[in-house]
Amino acid sequence: MDFPLSLNPHSPIPLHQQLYEELRRSILTGRLLPQHRLPSSRSLAKLLGISRTTVTQSYDRLLSEGYLETIQGSGTYVCSQLPDELLHSAPVQPGDRPSQSPIRLSSYGDYLAQTSFQLQPEPDQPICFRYGRPAFDRFPLPVWRRLLSRHSRSLDWMDYATDMQGYRPLREAIAQYVGRARAVQCTPEQVVITNGTQQALDLMMRLLITPGDTIAIEDPGYLSAQRIFLSHGAKLLPIPVDEAGLQVETLTKPIAYPVRLVYITPSHQFPTGATLSLPRRLELLAWAEQQQSMILEDDYDSEYRYGDRPIPALQGLSQSYAVIYIGTFSKVLFPSLRIGYLVLPHSLVSITAQAKWLSDRHLPLLDQRVLTDFILEGHLESHIRKMRSFYDQNRQALVQALRIHFGEQITILGDKAGMHLMVRLQTHWSDAELVQRAEQVGVGIMLAQPHYLTPADRHELIFGYSELETAQIQIGIARLAQALYPNF
Ligand SMILES: Cc1ncc(COP(=O)(O)O)c(C=O)c1O
């Protein structure tokens, strides 16, 4: 054998297994070429100082898997015709993890390797106050199926799209809808269809942010947005939030460096649920114009407002090009649809469409067509009306149950809009203990803690109420109160 084989006699992996893997890897990576003659089992055993049985065990396995072949009276050879699937199945090296890889990464790759975030497991209890999902079982599936069947009869959605901004009739339908529902001022020419909010934010980072630029964010705020900003090398400037939303006066205090962009969820601040007051909206717009900063307005669940009239979107209040509006169908329809949209100042439209095309060309045309008809035939707004009334019932049941069972021990925040509210507790339990105690009584709760820039126990819970029925909410809150305040 004209290359070293490294076997470790102290490893818990048996020697025959180690030898098998070494030889297999050498064949797959081309260190041992087809028709290469291997030493006899006796001489390899001698060479490596191991028993002959160990070598025969490894050879036998390689023979049976088709890596080696024997030629009668001549010896053992690397198989001359290795099946393709073997050549493509090089094993992942133990330790070949992104953060230790010798492969040189970009600063973007480096950021992901360092932070290495995972999808957080969500609570899975019989009663779960999970947030962020609509009530799937109330989605008008028959209507969607009918539209899908109507559009899939033809073949013309199968080709590449010809419009980099997204399917034109969908852009027209969206422009009308956001004008009506959110007082956004736009034409279809300003709309770019995206793969949800997530891609909209990513595209804006590519086009507007140079590493080192500062982005002001709400603290607490939307974690996924923060991750995108950091991955593009932005510095984050946390701005506190109170019951009227982002504290704009903190943002407008003079600071030594310019703020390139402000990311904000003004309709229903995530996660506190605050609605940015009209005076603050006007103050923020005036400041952005004066500073020549941009505002990224994420209007993710603005459709659900209870009681008082909705405040127009910042985009509609603005007299300038300072606001970029982002909408999504993840909350009003379903998140795996992956359709959202940007409403852009005219000067950004063409480069955004190009960036989108370079990134993933376009969204599936069939889905865009189905959604267009869903909006134009009035199903979207009718569904939103029904869901608003259903969520409102749940919201009222939740607020009432919280008041009855927790009394003065809690403060309820952000219950005027959206699909979740936040609760601040007076408690001696740690955040982890709160979750554990809830689990013990079969109730899943979620903490606000991960959405703060500085990790600490906050005793704040986010209660999603969109996926539950009223009775489950009442039972869940009663059990939770019993688990957290047994003597109350
Ligand atoms: C603040 C905020 N914006 C937007 C979204 C929706 O993201 P996407 O459109 O990528 O599904 C969410 C989802 O949880 C959110 O919390």
Side-chain angles (χ1 to χ4, degrees):
M1 192 81 69
D2 48 6
F3 64 85
L5 282 167
S6 50
L7 303 185
N8 177 3
H10 305 296
S11 161
I13 302 170
L15 283 173
H16 67 86
Q17 173 83 16
Q18 290 185 46
L19 181 59
Y20 158 81
E21 277 175 8
E22 276 275 312
L23 290 172
R24 181 172 173 270
R25 200 174 306 128
S26 303
I27 294 169
L28 290 171
T29 53
R31 274 166 94 199
L32 283 177
L33 292 171
Q35 296 179 337
H36 180 96
R37 184 169 188 273
L38 292 178
S40 69
S41 54
R42 188 191 305 275
S43 49
L44 185 58
K46 198 160 166 224
L47 192 74
L48 296 174
I50 56 178
S51 81
R52 194 174 161 201
T53 329
T54 305
V55 179
T56 352
Q57 260 180 302
S58 322
Y59 275 16
D60 284 350
R61 184 155 169 209
L62 291 163
L63 281 164
S64 70
E65 290 177 6
Y67 293 96
L68 301 181
E69 59 190 350
T70 47
I71 297 179
Q72 203 71 44
S74 172
T76 306
Y77 293 80
V78 174
C79 203
S80 49
Q81 282 189 324
L82 285 171
D84 271 0
E85 67 269 24
L86 293 185
L87 288 169
H88 293 147
S89 67
V92 175
Q93 305 273 328
D96 184 18
R97 304 217 178 80
S99 58
Q100 304 159 350
S101 165
I103 300 168
R104 197 156 51 85
L105 299 171
S106 67
S107 54
Y108 179 83
D110 232 6
Y111 169 78
L112 295 183
Q114 297 305 325
T115 52
S116 183
F117 69 89
Q118 304 293 326
L119 295 181
Q120 288 306 314
E122 294 195 327
D124 185 22
Q125 306 301 320
I127 299 181
C128 231
F129 290 94
R130 200 167 72 136
Y131 59 83
R133 307 293 196 294
F136 295 131
D137 56 352
R138 288 174 185 255
F139 181 74
L141 206 51
V143 177
W144 194 263
R145 208 182 296 125
R146 183 163 49 75
L147 297 178
L148 202 53
S149 145
R150 178 194 298 169
H151 284 282
S152 52
R153 262 181 235 130
S154 69
L155 300 175
D156 57 351
W157 49 270
M158 289 187 175
D159 199 0
Y160 286 120
T162 49
D163 190 334
M164 291 203 289
Q165 278 180 244
Y167 184 51
R168 166 91 200 184
L170 178 57
R171 290 193 283 115
E172 285 168 4
I174 288 174
Q176 280 173 16
Y177 165 68
V178 287
R180 238 179 1 252
R182 302 294 304 123
V184 169
Q185 296 175 33
C186 75
T187 61
E189 281 68 38
Q190 288 171 269
V191 177
V192 172
I193 312 287
T194 64
N195 187 317
T197 309
Q198 205 65 13
Q199 188 182 42
L201 292 171
D202 191 61
L203 292 173
M204 290 303 98
M205 291 302 100
R206 291 171 192 230
L207 296 174
L208 301 176
I209 293 297
T210 304
D213 281 353
T214 300
I215 301 182
I217 54 157
E218 300 160 321
D219 188 25
Y222 183 38
L223 194 60
S224 287
Q226 293 169 18
R227 284 189 178 133
I228 299 185
F229 302 159
L230 289 170
S231 73
H232 285 274
K235 287 202 201 101
L236 301 185
L237 175 66
I239 307 290
V241 171
D242 60 24
E243 58 291 343
L246 183 91
Q247 289 181 359
V248 179
E249 66 280 12
T250 312
L251 177 67
T252 52
K253 276 188 199 138
I255 47 170
Y257 43 87
V259 174
R260 178 81 190 90
L261 207 133
V262 182
Y263 166 75
I264 184 164
T265 48
S267 290
H268 190 230
Q269 200 277 328
F270 188 85
T272 66
T275 302
L276 192 71
S277 65
L278 190 58
R280 284 196 185 174
R281 282 176 196 239
L282 298 174
E283 198 186 345
L284 178 64
L285 287 170
W287 171 85
E289 276 168 40
Q290 196 221 339
Q291 298 290 313
Q292 301 195 323
S293 300
M294 299 293 294
I295 298 171
L296 272 183
E297 177 176 22
D298 176 353
D299 216 21
Y300 69 110
D301 68 359
S302 58
E303 284 82 358
Y304 301 124
R305 177 121 213 114
Y306 314 106
D308 44 0
R309 280 197 309 135
I311 303 181
L314 279 168
Q315 196 274 1
L317 291 170
S318 166
Q319 302 297 320
S320 75
Y321 56 83
V323 183
I324 293 166
Y325 180 90
I326 305 174
T328 179
F329 291 100
S330 289
K331 308 291 159 180
V332 285
L333 297 180
F334 52 97
S336 77
L337 181 61
R338 304 310 309 141
I339 301 188
Y341 46 94
L342 279 156
V343 177
L344 293 156
H346 287 283
S347 61
L348 287 182
V349 172
S350 166
I351 55 168
T352 306
Q354 291 172 54
K356 159 89 183 140
W357 187 268
L358 288 178
S359 163
D360 66 353
R361 292 187 196 258
H362 58 84
L363 296 172
L365 260 177
L366 185 59
D367 294 347
Q368 294 189 68
R369 288 187 176 192
V370 170
L371 178 56
T372 306
D373 282 2
F374 195 83
I375 301 174
L376 292 180
E377 292 180 7
H379 305 298
L380 176 70
E381 276 153 287
S382 135
H383 179 56
I384 291 175
R385 272 195 302 278
K386 285 185 198 144
M387 296 315 290
R388 193 183 291 128
S389 138
F390 172 68
Y391 294 151
D392 192 18
Q393 257 177 33
N394 280 0
R395 176 190 72 99
Q396 291 185 35
L398 176 59
V399 171
Q400 199 186 26
L402 286 167
R403 295 233 162 92
I404 293 173
H405 295 285
F406 285 85
E408 300 295 306
Q409 313 284 343
I410 56 162
T411 313
I412 300 174
L413 304 164
D415 63 325
K416 300 286 184 293
M419 297 152 64
H420 73 263
L421 52 77
M422 196 163 107
V423 162
R424 206 166 273 152
L425 288 161
Q426 287 171 31
T427 178
H428 60 274
W429 303 115
S430 70
D431 277 5
E433 285 166 337
L434 290 174
V435 174
Q436 268 166 20
R437 294 189 73 84
E439 266 173 25
Q440 282 160 9
V441 291
V443 177
I445 54 171
M446 296 180 83
L447 298 166
Q449 194 201 100
H451 301 283
Y452 281 87
L453 229 52
T454 329
D457 272 16
R458 308 274 174 179
H459 307 141
E460 288 173 351
L461 303 176
I462 306 173
F463 282 88
Y465 47 80
S466 51
E467 293 182 293
L468 297 169
E469 299 295 325
T470 317
Q472 289 176 298
I473 293 176
Q474 288 159 343
I475 298 168
I477 295 300
R479 282 197 206 160
L480 190 64
Q482 189 58 40
L484 302 184
Y485 299 100
N487 304 320
F488 181 63

